[in-house]
Amino acid sequence: MPAILVRKHAILVNLLHIRALIEADRIVLFDSIGAPASYSQSLLVYELQERLRNSVGQSNEPSQPFEFRALEAVLISVVNSLQSDEEVLVNLVQNVLAYLEESVDRSKLRELLQYSKRLSRFEQKALNIRDAIEEVLEQDEDLAAMYLTQKLRGRTRDTNEHEEVELMMETYLKQVEEIVNHVESVSSHVRTTEDVVNIILDSQRNSLLLLEIRLTILTVGLSTGTFLSGLFGMNLVNTLESHPDAFFAVSTIAFLAIVTLTLAGLRAMRKVLRKIN
């Protein structure tokens, strides 16, 4: 789990691809060459080289303590990594959503499901980072203990005197919260789209069911007519073989039976649909 742990002479950081131990005069990075995040770690090293130089500003004021510059470089790397992943993932999701607004495609629905899972994992990762920063900000003792340079010089700091590091942490907390809010908004859009797609699919499924019911009713009507005509088509002796109007009478009865049963079935189906609606 992401965490920022403050100890007596060090700050331990575990955020995304960064595993670091920050002291008053040095930072130790735990790196794995060839790991998927090695490029991000290379950018972090470059950022650290720029920020950890002992320089004085144009106003001849001393720069931040070493530990704060190191911690800020770490937070910058974390936020940049989150923003980069968010931009790629959100663009993929929005492209699929835009396509689904035009037509419902099975392959695009499968892609949306995969992206939705990735979006949920990313959202949880960003929430964990936000919680890690908030946990430090809620502890005045930890904030005051982060002044490692003053500790090294033998100075003690009151638990309420931590404005500098608190402002820095709140700045990056706000950026992480913006990422979380944006991802939550996109996730809400995805859920809304999924609901709309389900409604469309349910409507299409209902239309197919209605068509199947109509065909079944028509089949029952035709079967009744076939049954009546089949009775007279059997090789049985009766008084209608030689009657001149027998064929017309039987055909008329069969046709009327087909029409009557079909209309009765359709009328009963309409009554059921009205009750449902």
Side-chain angles (χ1 to χ4, degrees), residues 95-113 193 197-198 200-201 204:
N95 289 336
V96 175
L97 293 178
Y99 184 90
L100 289 175
E101 288 179 358
E102 301 295 331
S103 62
V104 178
D105 184 79
R106 187 173 182 179
S107 62
K108 292 297 181 181
L109 289 175
R110 191 179 297 111
E111 289 182 16
L112 182 63
L113 176 62
T193 302
V197 169
N198 288 331
I200 294 174
L201 294 177
Q204 294 177 351

Side-chain angles (χ1 to χ4, degrees), residues 93-159:
V93 172
Q94 289 179 343
N95 289 336
V96 175
L97 293 178
Y99 184 90
L100 289 175
E101 288 179 358
E102 301 295 331
S103 62
V104 178
D105 184 79
R106 187 173 182 179
S107 62
K108 292 297 181 181
L109 289 175
R110 191 179 297 111
E111 289 182 16
L112 182 63
L113 176 62
Q114 296 174 354
Y115 293 150
S116 178
K117 292 179 179 178
R118 289 176 56 184
L119 197 65
S120 297
R121 290 195 295 269
F122 177 81
E123 181 180 354
Q124 187 59 48
K125 179 169 63 176
L127 285 172
N128 290 336
I129 294 174
R130 184 195 67 181
D131 294 342
I133 298 176
E134 283 183 342
E135 186 177 355
V136 176
L137 285 171
E138 291 173 356
Q139 303 295 328
D140 291 336
E141 296 81 1
D142 287 347
L143 291 174
M146 294 175 77
Y147 289 81
L148 303 179
T149 300
Q150 293 191 8
K151 284 185 183 179
L152 191 64
R153 296 172 182 173
R155 300 176 185 174
T156 58
R157 198 173 186 90
D158 189 75
T159 55

Side-chain angles (χ1 to χ4, degrees), residues 3 37 46 66 70 82 105 113 134 159-160 176 184 213 219 257 259-260:
Y46 177 79
F66 179 91
L82 283 176
D105 184 79
L113 176 62
E134 283 183 342
T159 55
N160 295 323
V176 175
E184 288 179 347
I213 293 173
T219 302
V259 173
T260 302

